[in-house]
Amino acid sequence: LLGALANNAQAQAGPATDILQSSMTLNDAITLDVSAGSGGQDAVFNTIAEYTNGITKLLAAHAVVSSTQDWKLEVEAVTADFVGTSSIPASKLLVGPAGGSLAALSQTKALLFDNQSFTASAAVDMDYKFNPGFNHYVAGVYTIDVLYTATQL
C-alpha cells in the first residue's frame, strides 16, 4: 500500500510570484548655453559715421535652451556701465531677438523670447547695436557682461 501511495504522490511546486512597485520622479529641468554668434559680439569704432550711426552686429549672440516646460529668455546688464578708460552707460548697447526690435540694455531684465515651447534643444539668436554716439568718450576698450536668463513658465 505504501508503494502505491508513493507512486501517486507528486510535488505541487508552481511558480512563486511577488510584486515590486517602481516609480520615477520627474523634476523640471532647464539649461542655457550662450555663446558668440556668427556676427560676433564686439564692435570697433574707427570712423565718424560709425560713431554717428552706431554699429549693428547681426547674430551677435547665440543661445541654446533645453527645457522640460515652456520657457522665456530675458537679458540684462550685470553692471550699469561698460568698464574701461571711463564709464559708458549700458544703454549704449541695444539687444533684441534676431530680426526683431532692439532695446537699450539696462540692469532690469528685458524680455527677448516668451512662451517658447518645451524642447530638447531650441536655438535662438540675438542682434546687437553698439551706439555710443558722439559723446566725447575717451578712446579705449570698454567691456560689459550681458546676462541671459532662461526661465520656465
Side-chain angles (χ1 to χ4, degrees):
L1 178 67
L2 187 56
L5 289 176
N7 288 337
N8 290 333
Q10 298 181 8
Q12 296 295 320
T17 62
D18 198 359
I19 295 174
L20 174 63
Q21 185 178 50
S22 297
S23 68
M24 63 177 154
T25 301
L26 302 178
N27 294 310
D28 289 331
I30 188 167
T31 61
L32 172 63
D33 181 30
V34 180
S35 59
S38 60
Q41 80 275 21
D42 302 321
V44 177
F45 287 81
N46 293 311
T47 68
I48 298 298
E50 289 170 337
Y51 278 94
T52 302
N53 302 318
I55 295 176
T56 299
K57 302 294 277 191
L58 301 177
L59 307 177
H62 177 78
V64 176
V65 179
S66 301
S67 179
T68 58
Q69 300 296 322
D70 293 350
W71 55 275
K72 67 180 179 180
L73 183 64
E74 297 170 299
V75 64
E76 65 187 297
V78 173
T79 57
D81 298 309
F82 281 81
V83 177
T85 309
S86 60
S87 291
I88 298 177
S91 61
K92 298 301 182 177
L93 174 58
L94 288 76
V95 180
S101 55
L102 303 173
L105 190 63
S106 73
Q107 288 186 283
T108 301
K109 288 181 181 176
L111 186 63
L112 292 171
F113 298 93
D114 195 15
N115 292 320
Q116 301 298 299
S117 294
F118 66 95
T119 180
S121 181
V124 294
D125 294 295
M126 284 68 65
D127 293 340
Y128 285 8
K129 181 173 184 181
F130 295 85
N131 196 17
F134 234 64
N135 289 307
H136 199 254
Y137 295 122
V138 177
V141 175
Y142 294 83
T143 60
I144 193 164
D145 290 330
V146 180
L147 177 65
Y148 290 90
T149 304
T151 305
Q152 290 183 326
L153 302 176

